[in-house]
Amino acid sequence: LEKKLAANPEEPRYHSELGVALAGIGRREEAIRAGQRAVEILPVERDALWGRAFIDNLALIYARVGDPEAASEQLMRSLGLAGPLTREWLQVDPAWDLLRDEPRFQGLLRPDKAP
């Protein structure tokens, strides 16, 4: 991913995927920067589908680096938009297990909770 990103520095997918990978190996600051960069390059206002996917990945990055508040904030933003990530999916996808005990995340899963 780093090689692909070096060759295509404005490709948001590479930033986003690299951020998720870096979070998985504990490189917190770099992971967050990469995820945020993807959201900056292709905001949801410009591309509803991919822009939202990058918000979802940023939430996953925050979850993996141990920042449940920031992860929940991004998920709240994402759930307010049309797209494939739903409350129902969050309930069963093991990627979000790191947030299961967090009150704000639990609140996001309630159907009566507006995003």
Side-chain angles (χ1 to χ4, degrees), residues 33-89:
R33 246 188 333 271
Q36 289 173 336
R37 183 67 183 130
V39 172
E40 291 169 4
I41 292 171
L42 191 61
V44 71
E45 295 81 10
R46 236 179 70 213
D47 187 317
L49 179 63
W50 282 106
R52 182 174 179 200
F54 299 141
I55 292 170
D56 296 344
N57 274 356
L58 182 56
L60 184 58
I61 290 165
Y62 280 124
R64 288 187 174 176
V65 300
D67 191 338
E69 189 69 25
S72 294
E73 183 178 312
Q74 294 303 314
L75 287 172
M76 177 76 81
R77 181 177 175 204
S78 178
L79 290 172
L81 305 167
L85 187 66
T86 63
R87 286 183 174 89
E88 293 78 16
W89 184 252

Side-chain angles (χ1 to χ4, degrees), residues 82-100:
L85 187 66
T86 63
R87 286 183 174 89
E88 293 78 16
W89 184 252
L90 289 172
Q91 291 174 350
V92 298
D93 185 351
W96 303 103
D97 285 351
L98 295 166
L99 300 178
R100 297 270 174 241

